[in-house]
């Protein structure tokens, strides 16, 4: 008991100190006693020299003449020996003002007004709304806010810094983002349809804020789609709306009880969560209490070794399935006893609830063993939440869901998000993300 109390006291003190440090979530612990020497390696270990390539074209040429006298001694005359080129890549700080002469007419048959539209026009509005921002400004504001995490105030400040002639109000950035989201709504709906037919989906959720009140951001990730949805509650409704209770693919999740409602789907419990839980128990467990988490970690390590053997063509598919069933039986036998240590008793109860869902990735080796897809999708949203806290309205929350989903899916399909946003803003017909 004294040994366990000492361990628990040390763990509690470390956790309290970590919570008081601002950089605690990003801390890597104490520094290494003998770190590697920084900088480039000497000799052959240095490797080839890397340098920026010569620009493909030269737009401007400037001359840098020698001074008449030496800058070191201030008296000697300087004799020129050669001219060496130097290249520079710069971004222009110039605003382009466009004028579109819109031809307006009337249909001779239906008598309705018809207006011409150029490929760079974002709308056909005229009159009081004739002066507008260009598509690149709209797309850039969406990228800055939804992908890079800048607030609307910082976004317009960055534009004013780079382009002094371009003065955009913060409210204009908000309206621009909402308008861009509406143009991307058809692509978002197509993503939701594609997610329902996916073979494998990894869901996850995290806290969010809408109008200062607690909400939840749900993320659903497949190999081809990433879909976010902000909902007022942490409930089963977002998953049921998106996937449907008849979803017949595989759900790779963290064990939240909501996913048990999908009885037609196969389930793979996240083994990374299980490993973290067992390692946390080992930090404070003493004597016989260490046996269960150690045995569970050994089974998980053995399962990963089997999958590596299958991927390396050292183990056949049928043999892998047999090993997966054997490990499931072994785990069920392991947690069927009586445990006096309360944390171990809770762990065993959790493992007994899903006996066939821990090693399903051995029975179907094409799926993932962890929900790392969803956790990686949640991470940029958490960064945005730390910067500006969430959304002020539910209208903004819907725009948040649409734009984050479209941008993230574009990246997973090797489509440039900026180019897709330009097409969605300029073209009157709905735009879908290329496959």
């Amino acid at each position: 008991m004294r040994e366990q109390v000492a361990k628990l006291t040390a763990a509690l003190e470390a956790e309290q100190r970590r919570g008081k440090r601002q950089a605690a979530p990003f801390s890597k612990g104490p520094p290494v006693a003998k770190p590697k020497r920084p900088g480039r390696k000497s000799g052959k270990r240095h490797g080839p020299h890397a340098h920026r390539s010569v620009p493909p074209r030269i737009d401007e040429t400037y001359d840098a003449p020698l001074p008449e006298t030496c800058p070191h001694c201030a008296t000697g005359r300087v004799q020129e020996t050669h001219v060496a080129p130097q290249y520079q890549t710069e971004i222009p700080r110039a605003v382009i003002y466009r004028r579109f002469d819109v031809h307006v007419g009337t249909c001779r048959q239906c008598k309705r007004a018809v207006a011409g539209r150029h490929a760079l026009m974002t709308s056909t509005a005229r009159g009081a709304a004739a002066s507008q921002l260009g598509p690149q400004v709209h797309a850039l504001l969406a990228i800055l806010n939804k992908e890079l995490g800048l607030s609307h105030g910082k976004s317009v400040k960055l534009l004013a810094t780079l382009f002094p002639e371009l003065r955009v109000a913060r409210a204009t950035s908000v309206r621009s983002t909402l308008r861009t989201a509406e143009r991307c709504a058809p692509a978002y709906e197509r993503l939701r349809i594609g997610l329902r037919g996916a073979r494998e989906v990894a869901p996850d959720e995290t806290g969010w804020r809408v109008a200062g009140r607690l909400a939840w951001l749900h993320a659903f990730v497949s190999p081809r789609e990433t879909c976010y949805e902000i909902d007022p509650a942490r409930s089963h409704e977002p998953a049921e709306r998106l996937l449907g209770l008849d979803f017949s693919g595989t759900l790779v999740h963290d064990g939240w009880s909501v996913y048990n409602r999908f009885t037609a789907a196969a389930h793979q419990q996240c083994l990374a969560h299980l490993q973290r839980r067992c390692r946390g128990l080992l930090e404070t467990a003493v004597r016989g209490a260490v046996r269960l988490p150690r045995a569970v970690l050994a089974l998980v390590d053995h399962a990963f070794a089997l999958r590596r053997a299958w991927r390396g063509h050292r183990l056949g598919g049928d043999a892998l399935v047999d090993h997966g069933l054997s490990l499931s039986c072994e785990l069920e036998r392991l947690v069927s006893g009586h445990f006096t240590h309360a944390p171990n008793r809770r762990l065993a109860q959790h493992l007994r609830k899903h006996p066939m869902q821990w090693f399903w990735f051995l029975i179907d080796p094409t799926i993932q063993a962890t929900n790392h897809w969803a956790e990686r999708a949640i991470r940029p949203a958490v960064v945005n939440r730390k910067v500006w806290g969430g959304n002020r309205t539910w209208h903004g929350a819907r725009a948040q869901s649409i734009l984050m989903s479209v941008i993230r899916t574009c990246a997973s399909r090797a489509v440039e998000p900026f180019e897709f946003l330009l097409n969605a803003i300029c073209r009157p017909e709905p735009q879908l993300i290329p496959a």
Side-chain angles (χ1 to χ4, degrees), residues 1 19 29 34-35 75 92 94 171 206 208 286 297 317 323 327 351 359 386 388 396 420 435:
M1 290 297 293
K34 294 182 179 180
T75 57
T206 186
W208 199 255
V286 295
L297 286 175
H323 283 295
L327 287 179
L351 294 174
F359 303 113
K386 287 181 178 293
W388 33 264
F420 174 78

Side-chain angles (χ1 to χ4, degrees), residues 231-268:
D231 192 75
R234 186 172 183 253
S235 66
H236 58 88
E237 294 181 359
E240 291 184 9
R241 282 196 304 266
L242 182 62
L243 300 176
L245 287 178
D246 58 346
F247 177 72
S248 58
T250 301
L251 285 176
V252 185
H253 54 85
D254 55 6
W256 189 25
S257 59
V258 162
Y259 305 124
N260 296 334
R261 300 168 65 92
F262 294 86
T263 56
H267 294 262
Q268 169 62 51

Side-chain angles (χ1 to χ4, degrees), residues 198-202 221-223 247 249-252 366-370 373:
R199 287 189 64 254
E200 178 183 359
V201 175
V221 187
S222 73
F247 177 72
T250 301
L251 285 176
V252 185
T366 61
I367 66 172
Q368 302 294 313
T370 67
W373 285 350

Side-chain angles (χ1 to χ4, degrees), residues 219-340:
F220 302 88
V221 187
S222 73
R224 291 172 45 81
E225 296 91 6
T226 299
C227 189
Y228 298 90
E229 182 171 346
I230 299 175
D231 192 75
R234 186 172 183 253
S235 66
H236 58 88
E237 294 181 359
E240 291 184 9
R241 282 196 304 266
L242 182 62
L243 300 176
L245 287 178
D246 58 346
F247 177 72
S248 58
T250 301
L251 285 176
V252 185
H253 54 85
D254 55 6
W256 189 25
S257 59
V258 162
Y259 305 124
N260 296 334
R261 300 168 65 92
F262 294 86
T263 56
H267 294 262
Q268 169 62 51
Q269 299 281 336
C270 178
L271 290 185
H273 283 75
L274 179 61
Q275 288 177 313
R276 285 194 293 268
R277 183 171 180 175
C278 291
R279 288 165 185 156
L281 292 178
L282 288 175
E283 290 179 357
T284 57
V286 295
R287 297 182 181 178
V290 304
R291 295 173 185 169
L292 177 62
R294 283 180 180 174
V296 172
L297 286 175
L299 287 180
V300 173
D301 292 340
H302 184 44
F304 282 133
L306 290 172
R307 189 178 64 170
R308 287 194 297 269
W310 175 81
R311 287 179 172 175
H313 304 287
R314 300 187 303 273
L315 188 67
D318 294 338
L320 186 66
V321 171
D322 293 339
H323 283 295
L325 294 174
S326 299
L327 287 179
S328 299
C329 296
E330 177 65 19
L331 181 64
E332 195 170 4
R333 184 198 62 78
L334 184 65
V335 300
S336 61
H338 177 70
F339 301 93
T340 58

Side-chain angles (χ1 to χ4, degrees), residues 395-425:
H395 192 30
R398 172 172 167 77
Q400 182 81 29
S401 303
I402 293 174
L403 289 177
M404 285 199 309
S405 302
V406 168
I407 291 173
R408 187 81 180 181
T409 302
C410 284
S412 65
R413 297 188 183 183
V415 176
E416 177 56 44
F418 189 78
E419 296 297 329
F420 174 78
L421 293 179
L422 288 180
N423 291 331
I425 293 169

Side-chain angles (χ1 to χ4, degrees), residues 60-323:
E60 299 176 353
T61 303
Y62 298 93
D63 194 39
L66 286 169
E68 295 183 358
T69 59
C70 177
H72 304 288
C73 63
T75 57
R77 306 289 292 181
V78 179
Q79 180 181 358
E80 182 175 318
T81 58
H82 65 284
V83 177
Q86 185 193 66
Y87 304 96
Q88 188 180 86
T89 302
E90 181 62 291
I91 55 174
R93 299 178 61 191
V95 176
I96 299 175
Y97 296 97
R98 297 188 179 114
R99 170 178 167 173
F100 299 97
D101 293 324
V102 182
H103 295 256
V104 182
T106 304
C107 177
R108 294 180 179 179
Q109 182 175 352
C110 65
K111 306 302 181 183
R112 298 179 64 180
V114 179
R117 178 161 182 162
H118 192 273
L120 293 176
M121 292 172 61
T122 59
S123 74
T124 57
R126 302 184 299 277
S131 184
Q132 305 173 5
L133 295 175
Q136 296 194 30
V137 180
H138 289 295
L140 182 59
L141 288 174
I143 293 291
L144 291 176
N145 182 247
K146 303 307 180 189
E147 182 179 17
L148 302 183
L150 293 184
S151 63
H152 291 290
K154 291 182 178 179
S155 298
V156 299
K157 185 177 181 180
L158 176 62
L159 288 181
T161 302
L162 295 177
F163 312 101
E165 298 179 47
L166 182 60
R167 296 293 176 177
V168 179
R170 180 178 173 275
T172 304
S173 175
V174 175
R175 290 193 297 269
S176 169
T177 304
L178 294 176
R179 184 173 179 272
T180 304
E182 289 302 320
R183 296 295 301 162
C184 294
Y188 178 67
E189 294 302 325
R190 179 57 64 91
L191 293 183
R192 296 171 67 91
I193 296 174
L195 205 62
R196 296 187 189 106
R199 287 189 64 254
E200 178 183 359
V201 175
D204 202 0
E205 66 285 331
T206 186
W208 199 255
R209 290 279 176 178
V210 179
R213 298 183 180 276
L214 180 64
W216 291 89
L217 183 140
H218 300 259
F220 302 88
V221 187
S222 73
R224 291 172 45 81
E225 296 91 6
T226 299
C227 189
Y228 298 90
E229 182 171 346
I230 299 175
D231 192 75
R234 186 172 183 253
S235 66
H236 58 88
E237 294 181 359
E240 291 184 9
R241 282 196 304 266
L242 182 62
L243 300 176
L245 287 178
D246 58 346
F247 177 72
S248 58
T250 301
L251 285 176
V252 185
H253 54 85
D254 55 6
W256 189 25
S257 59
V258 162
Y259 305 124
N260 296 334
R261 300 168 65 92
F262 294 86
T263 56
H267 294 262
Q268 169 62 51
Q269 299 281 336
C270 178
L271 290 185
H273 283 75
L274 179 61
Q275 288 177 313
R276 285 194 293 268
R277 183 171 180 175
C278 291
R279 288 165 185 156
L281 292 178
L282 288 175
E283 290 179 357
T284 57
V286 295
R287 297 182 181 178
V290 304
R291 295 173 185 169
L292 177 62
R294 283 180 180 174
V296 172
L297 286 175
L299 287 180
V300 173
D301 292 340
H302 184 44
F304 282 133
L306 290 172
R307 189 178 64 170
R308 287 194 297 269
W310 175 81
R311 287 179 172 175
H313 304 287
R314 300 187 303 273
L315 188 67
D318 294 338
L320 186 66
V321 171
D322 293 339
H323 283 295

